[in-house]
């Protein structure tokens, strides 16, 4: 059976203190976001048996610190192509020289090596944020975090994925009684903030999930959510058990998953 060419994916860590998702297909290795320092991202890549020089490209979804912390240093050191929207670039948050900066247009697919990539516009409080669907011609992986609400546009693009890395950021009641100041509660819970467990579950009832074989709950708030609650809520929407759902956490992310034929 052919082993190369299949999509594999993993996370280096997920949450408000730093995010990075790794997607591989054959010898193509794409890092989506990098909210970790060079030293830390190197350590976390090595945990997944990959060296930073093996990366093919870095994609950035938006300019928030938990997604761009280590991007500049990483692309400079290893001369990696960096893909962002023009809006993300114009914020100037990615400081320092970038040797090979490539602008992407939302809704215009592009390829990196063996991966075809569709950037999808999402409602989030950044300049021109996107999330990504990645495919190899047979499989589709959706990476969908950092959005405050579900739009018909998002439903259309993320339907029929075999794998989803999906934000389940907070439980609305925990957020309401939690330690955040009122302004931050409004931001997180608003239409341009982050998805609650219930919103993520509702999204799962709206998309076509007959081909879904991997679901990873991601970008959980350490203050305003708990893992069991997130998994239970998502599982109920799919009529499955919570242990079917994988959890991405801040320290470990999650290990390699492979798309099956
Ligand atoms: Zn984030
Ligand atoms: Zn964000």
């Amino acid at each position: 059976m052919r082993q190369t060419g299949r999509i594999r994916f993993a996370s280096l860590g997920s949450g408000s203190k730093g995010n990075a998702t790794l997607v591989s297909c054959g010898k193509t290795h794409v890092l989506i976001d990098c909210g970790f320092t060079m030293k830390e991202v190197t350590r976390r890549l090595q945990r997944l048996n990959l060296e930073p020089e093996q990366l093919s490209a870095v994609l950035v979804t938006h300019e928030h610190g938990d997604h761009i912390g280590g991007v500049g240093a990483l692309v400079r050191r290893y001369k990696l192509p960096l893909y962002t929207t023009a809006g993300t670039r114009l914020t100037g948050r990615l400081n320092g020289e970038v040797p090979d900066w490539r602008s992407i247009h939302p809704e215009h697919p592009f390829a990196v090596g063996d991966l075809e990539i569709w950037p999808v516009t999402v409602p989030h409080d950044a300049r021109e944020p996107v999330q990504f669907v990645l495919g190899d011609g047979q499989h589709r992986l959706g990476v969908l975090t950092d959005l405050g609400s579900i739009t018909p546009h998002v439903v259309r693009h993320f339907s029929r994925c075999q794998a989803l890395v999906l934000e389940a950021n907070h439980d609305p009641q925990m957020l309401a009684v939690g330690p955040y100041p009122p302004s931050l509660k409004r931001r997180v819970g608003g239409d341009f903030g982050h998805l609650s467990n219930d919103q993520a579950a509702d999204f799962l009832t709206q998309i076509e999930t007959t081909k879904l074989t991997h679901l990873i709950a991601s970008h959980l708030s350490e203050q305003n959510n708990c893992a069991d609650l997130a998994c239970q809520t998502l599982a109920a929407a799919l009529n499955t058990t919570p242990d079917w759902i994988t959890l991405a956490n801040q320290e470990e992310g999650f290990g390699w998953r492979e798309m099956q034929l």
Side-chain angles (χ1 to χ4, degrees):
M1 193 180 290
R2 200 165 75 105
Q3 287 298 316
T4 55
R6 257 192 224 173
I7 293 182
R8 297 192 307 145
F9 61 102
S11 166
L12 279 61
S14 176
S16 56
K17 293 181 185 143
N19 294 275
T21 308
L22 193 54
V23 184
S24 295
C25 186
K27 289 187 174 150
T28 303
H29 306 286
V30 166
L31 192 66
I32 301 176
D33 295 327
C34 181
F36 305 105
T37 63
M38 268 294 285
K39 189 177 167 193
E40 193 59 22
V41 73
T42 302
R43 184 179 78 81
R44 290 175 184 236
L45 281 169
Q46 287 170 343
R47 198 163 64 194
L48 294 162
N49 294 317
L50 207 74
E51 297 294 333
E53 50 264 48
Q54 290 177 269
L55 291 172
S56 312
V58 178
L59 279 50
V60 166
T61 58
H62 66 297
E63 67 274 17
H64 289 160
D66 54 322
H67 297 261
I68 63 165
V71 168
L74 185 65
V75 298
R76 270 192 296 282
R77 170 87 180 264
Y78 296 102
K79 299 188 170 44
L80 299 170
L82 170 64
Y83 292 80
T84 74
T85 62
T88 299
R89 183 173 186 165
L90 283 169
T91 61
R93 299 264 178 88
L94 278 150
N95 287 329
E97 187 199 340
V98 171
D100 184 0
W101 202 331
R102 305 183 188 188
S103 285
I104 56 176
H105 192 288
E107 324 316 329
H108 288 191
F110 62 99
V112 176
D114 294 336
L115 284 168
E116 188 166 25
I117 303 166
W118 293 265
V120 183
T121 296
V122 292
H124 191 53
D125 52 1
R127 183 80 170 260
E128 193 183 9
V130 288
Q131 293 292 316
F132 294 107
V133 175
L134 305 98
D136 64 356
Q138 286 182 303
H139 302 98
R140 283 158 57 86
L141 159 68
V143 179
L144 183 61
T145 69
D146 296 77
L147 70 169
S149 46
I150 298 295
T151 61
H153 183 73
V154 166
V155 169
R156 195 161 55 245
H157 277 84
F158 285 85
S159 277
R160 295 180 303 283
C161 285
Q162 285 89 350
L164 274 175
V165 175
L166 175 63
E167 169 161 71
N169 179 261
H170 59 276
D171 170 68
Q173 284 178 323
M174 287 177 73
L175 178 67
V177 300
Y180 281 10
S183 61
L184 188 51
K185 288 181 181 180
R186 280 195 297 277
R187 191 222 141 213
V188 169
D191 283 349
F192 292 84
H194 291 276
L195 288 188
S196 69
N197 298 336
D198 298 322
Q199 286 174 298
D202 185 50
F203 165 71
L204 291 172
T205 67
Q206 293 186 53
I207 58 166
E208 166 63 59
T209 54
T210 48
K211 293 181 177 175
L212 189 67
T213 49
H214 303 268
L215 177 61
I216 291 92
S218 301
H219 215 305
L220 267 73
S221 167
E222 290 180 329
Q223 308 260 16
N224 305 310
N225 209 348
C226 78
D228 288 349
L229 190 56
C231 289
Q232 278 166 20
T233 309
L234 297 186
L238 291 174
N239 234 343
T240 186
T241 51
D243 60 358
W244 189 77
I245 293 161
T246 297
L247 192 82
N249 66 25
Q250 188 68 78
E251 184 47 44
E252 302 288 332
F254 60 88
W256 284 112
R257 306 289 296 256
E258 185 168 322
M259 310 280 261
Q260 300 298 323
L261 287 174

